[in-house]
Amino acid sequence: MLVRIPNVLSAEDVARFRHILEQQSWVDGKVTAGEQSAKAKYNLQIPQDSDTARQLGEHILQALGRNPIFHSAALPLRVYPPLFNRYDAGMQFDMHVDNAIRPVPGTGFRLRTDVSSTLFLSDPDEYDGGELVIQDTYGQQSVKLPAGDMVVYPSTSLHAVSPVTRGSRWASFFWTQSMIREDTQRALLYQFDQSIMQTRKALPDDHPAVLGLTATYHNLLRQWAEL
């Protein structure tokens, strides 16, 4: 399931992020890649343990905490601290799959990567190429969103960033361990939740149909959730 989430960051937030990131030193993106991914990865990143990455990442986590679409689509249990990358002209990330398990820096915990997220920090007219290409159950999809918008998709998906031929593509990326391990179940719950929200616009919250749908949603969540 691929879900696009608009306005995770405001235009003011994006401008502030870009100004801060422009002042930083970037390193080879291979530092956070697994053995297979490192052979396919050609980009730059902000050091994961830098104060900048931590501060900007915390701002993103706070924004996600207020975002109902992210919660509905990802059903997050744990979210990996956001990372930041850029692809200048000539850079790309060939087709790959994300590592299944990632240690969370400084915590002693590990996180299962169920849901991958890319939060765009460059507008589409700032660069050519650089599309996020995702292979999912509906075939291959190409994603290139306005700055501040985000896409979430299953971490099991093969995906790539196509070569940038002009300009520079900046983004934040991270992973979520969901309460619901299986993407098919997450997709059903997301669609169910969207239907409930549409029903609540047409009917009062105490209507039997709204109460019944809400009860069924939470009973499915109770049955499938892993905590």
Side-chain angles (χ1 to χ4, degrees):
M1 177 182 67
L2 186 155
V3 177
R4 303 180 184 193
I5 307 177
N7 303 315
V8 172
L9 295 180
S10 68
E12 292 76 15
D13 285 334
V14 171
R16 183 171 68 87
F17 273 45
R18 289 290 298 269
H19 176 73
I20 293 171
L21 292 172
E22 284 169 358
Q23 315 305 314
Q24 306 306 306
S25 297
W26 296 74
V27 299
D28 192 322
K30 289 181 171 62
V31 295
T32 57
E35 181 179 356
Q36 181 270 333
S37 295
K39 299 175 183 177
K41 188 176 188 180
Y42 305 95
N43 68 3
L44 299 172
Q45 287 182 199
I46 294 294
Q48 186 173 9
D49 59 355
S50 69
D51 289 340
T52 295
R54 284 193 291 266
Q55 291 168 6
L56 297 184
E58 183 59 34
H59 186 98
I60 291 172
L61 294 177
Q62 291 175 4
L64 293 177
R66 301 187 297 267
N67 193 292
I69 303 177
F70 175 73
H71 281 270
S72 180
L75 291 167
L77 178 62
R78 299 183 182 92
V79 181
Y80 194 87
L83 303 171
F84 299 87
N85 64 14
R86 69 187 262 192
Y87 292 80
D88 295 336
M91 295 182 179
Q92 65 190 74
F93 200 162
D94 297 333
M95 198 64 72
H96 65 285
V97 67
D98 291 333
N99 291 352
I101 305 294
R102 284 191 172 269
V104 181
T107 67
F109 291 102
R110 293 182 294 175
L111 175 148
R112 186 185 66 238
T113 58
D114 297 320
V115 178
S116 297
S117 299
T118 296
L119 172 58
F120 288 80
L121 298 175
S122 300
D123 279 316
D125 61 0
E126 295 183 63
Y127 61 99
D128 293 332
E131 295 84 0
L132 175 62
V133 180
I134 304 167
Q135 293 184 4
D136 68 5
T137 53
Y138 299 100
Q140 184 166 291
Q141 301 195 52
S142 182
V143 182
K144 189 173 184 178
L145 301 181
D149 289 6
M150 188 171 84
V151 61
V152 300
Y153 59 95
S155 298
T156 53
S157 303
L158 283 169
H159 57 283
V161 175
S162 63
V164 171
T165 59
R166 177 190 65 86
S168 187
R169 173 201 190 269
W170 297 33
S172 176
F173 65 102
F174 52 92
W175 302 272
T176 299
Q177 180 171 333
S178 177
M179 293 184 287
I180 306 299
R181 182 193 298 255
E182 294 293 330
D183 179 56
T184 53
Q185 293 175 338
R186 283 198 310 274
L188 285 171
L189 286 170
Y190 175 72
Q191 292 160 4
F192 203 158
D193 193 30
Q194 297 304 298
S195 295
I196 291 172
M197 287 190 282
Q198 290 297 319
T199 303
R200 291 179 63 184
K201 291 179 180 179
L203 299 172
D205 286 349
D206 61 353
H207 190 281
V210 175
L211 294 174
L213 288 171
T214 303
T216 301
Y217 171 87
H218 283 283
N219 286 333
L220 284 173
L221 181 59
R222 183 177 291 110
Q223 180 176 344
W224 291 340
E226 300 177 20
L227 304 179

